[in-house]
Amino acid sequence: MGAALAAAGLLLPMAAGAQVSPGPMLSSIRSKGYLDCGANPGSAGFGVPDSRGEHRGMDPDFCRAIAAAVLGDPSRVRFTVLTSQSRIPALQSGQVDVVARTFTWTMARETSSGLQFGPITFHDGQGFIVRRATGIERASQLEGATICVSAGSTNELNLADWARTNRIAIRPLVFESNEDTRKAYASGRCDSYSLDASQLAGFRTTFADPNEHIILPDVISKEPHAPAVRKGDQQWYDVVRWTIYALILAEELGVTQANAESMLESPNPDIRRLLGVTGDFGPSIGLDRRWALTAIRAVGNYGEIFERHLGERSPIGLKRGLNALWSQGGLLYAPPIR
């Protein structure tokens, strides 16, 4: 009966525990010895080079987790700085292996640009920052304002849609990169700067007196940030998304950077599967059994990454909000490893 079903192509997919060979992307990354990750030129909390040129932030840590899972070493990442306009061509052309830099998942990007997005790593929405001295308290008061925005981003389209829908006349001032846009606002060339609200929170901390600037309460869009890969290599897509899911599951299960090793002795079946004590889930996607353990030891779980770069004790000072676990009132949810 089994032979007949196999011949008919009706058997279930390969079960966990079966070792599969590395596909094109895994083979390429292992051959060159590093992961090439599309990075942000500078967004506090999400990705910015420090004084030594090391990329720090939430998105670089996701890349380090992937490198740890694939290569066993979180330092084996080469960060390629990409603007909003260059990130899609860089990924399409194979210049980078993955883009993780405040990249909004949209239908057009996935269906028309040949990209696939992994799990949502940050739920955001576009907002506005203004100088407190203007007296502006709501976005509806921006009638006639000059608003800085970056080209090649969802922010440019969202701003136009919002103005049209609400019949508010604005003067968009469009720049090539977020850095140019930030400089334009800081120098007083525009009345407001429109960007994802969390990034505005990071930008606000760069001023000598952040209290001179306020982020308006209005949110005009949905901005689900997620890492993206090229379509065509399902195994690589699985590696990227399940590494992110593993970090989320680790937080849910109480597995941290500090205790991950000791958790190998846990009797909890979910923890044992996550850390590779039981089951061969890593080998089923071309990795070793301890892929998730290696990633967690490298950067911590999702909650640790968030708190380190964006949380209330960080300079950014964001609450978890929608980015809390589903069990704590947020939208963060990962399928089980089983």
Side-chain angles (χ1 to χ4, degrees):
M1 179 61 116
L5 288 173
L10 297 177
L11 286 179
L12 293 175
M14 186 182 299
Q19 177 72 52
V20 301
S21 300
M25 284 300 299
L26 274 184
S27 297
S28 171
I29 292 165
R30 286 172 175 161
S31 176
K32 63 186 179 182
Y34 61 87
L35 172 74
D36 205 322
C37 181
N40 205 308
S43 181
F46 288 95
V48 62
D50 64 16
S51 59
R52 298 183 300 171
E54 293 288 330
H55 286 260
R56 302 297 177 194
M58 199 170 188
D59 292 333
D61 274 0
F62 291 136
C63 288
R64 292 186 177 98
I66 296 167
V70 173
L71 299 168
D73 184 349
S75 70
R76 290 167 72 176
V77 181
R78 185 176 74 179
F79 292 101
T80 299
V81 173
L82 301 172
T83 65
S84 295
Q85 290 181 304
S86 66
R87 58 193 170 185
I88 292 178
L91 190 52
Q92 291 171 325
S93 68
Q95 180 184 354
V96 296
D97 305 315
V98 59
V99 169
R101 50 132 299 168
T102 56
F103 203 4
T104 298
W105 182 359
T106 70
M107 181 177 179
R109 286 173 174 172
E110 187 159 86
T111 61
S112 303
S113 298
L115 310 184
Q116 278 186 301
F117 286 83
I120 296 171
T121 53
F122 194 88
H123 298 84
D124 212 343
Q126 187 171 334
F128 301 89
I129 190 170
V130 298
R131 291 167 182 80
R132 188 179 296 275
T134 64
I136 294 173
E137 297 180 345
R138 298 303 300 257
S140 58
Q141 296 173 270
L142 290 169
E143 175 74 31
T146 299
I147 301 179
C148 285
V149 67
S150 299
S153 68
T154 54
N155 302 136
E156 184 180 8
L157 177 60
N158 292 338
L159 181 61
D161 286 349
W162 169 81
R164 186 180 301 111
T165 300
N166 292 279
R167 299 180 181 179
I168 296 175
I170 59 171
R171 295 191 297 273
L173 194 56
V174 182
F175 293 88
E176 170 76 18
S177 69
N178 282 347
E179 182 61 25
D180 290 337
T181 316
R182 285 191 285 266
K183 288 179 179 178
Y185 173 81
S187 67
R189 291 184 62 186
C190 44
D191 304 304
S192 176
Y193 175 22
S194 188
L195 182 69
D196 295 356
S198 60
Q199 294 182 65
L200 290 178
F203 172 55
R204 182 173 174 270
T205 66
T206 66
F207 288 98
D209 184 359
N211 288 324
E212 292 182 354
H213 305 264
I214 63 170
I215 298 171
L216 301 182
D218 307 86
V219 175
I220 67 171
S221 72
K222 293 187 294 184
E223 302 297 322
H225 296 172
V229 299
R230 289 182 300 283
K231 285 182 178 177
D233 191 326
Q234 181 64 39
Q235 182 189 64
W236 177 234
Y237 178 55
D238 287 342
V239 167
V240 169
R241 64 180 181 149
W242 279 102
T243 300
I244 302 299
Y245 284 142
L247 301 179
I248 297 171
L249 286 169
E251 180 183 8
E252 183 177 336
L253 295 168
V255 180
T256 68
Q257 188 174 30
N259 72 15
E261 196 74 36
S262 65
M263 283 289 199
L264 291 169
E265 304 300 322
S266 172
N268 185 322
D270 289 326
I271 293 176
R272 294 174 69 81
R273 286 190 291 266
L274 171 68
L275 301 182
V277 178
T278 58
D280 287 324
F281 296 95
S284 73
I285 55 173
L287 306 179
D288 64 30
R289 294 181 66 186
R290 300 295 171 88
W291 61 282
L293 172 64
T294 307
I296 297 162
R297 285 192 304 191
V299 299
N301 63 41
Y302 179 94
E304 291 178 285
I305 296 170
F306 185 100
E307 293 304 327
R308 182 160 60 240
H309 300 296
L310 298 173
E312 294 184 82
R313 295 184 179 180
S314 77
I316 310 299
L318 294 182
K319 295 182 179 181
R320 288 289 292 268
L322 295 178
N323 298 293
L325 292 172
W326 64 277
S327 56
Q328 297 173 10
L331 297 179
L332 212 63
Y333 190 101
I337 294 177
R338 67 169 69 120

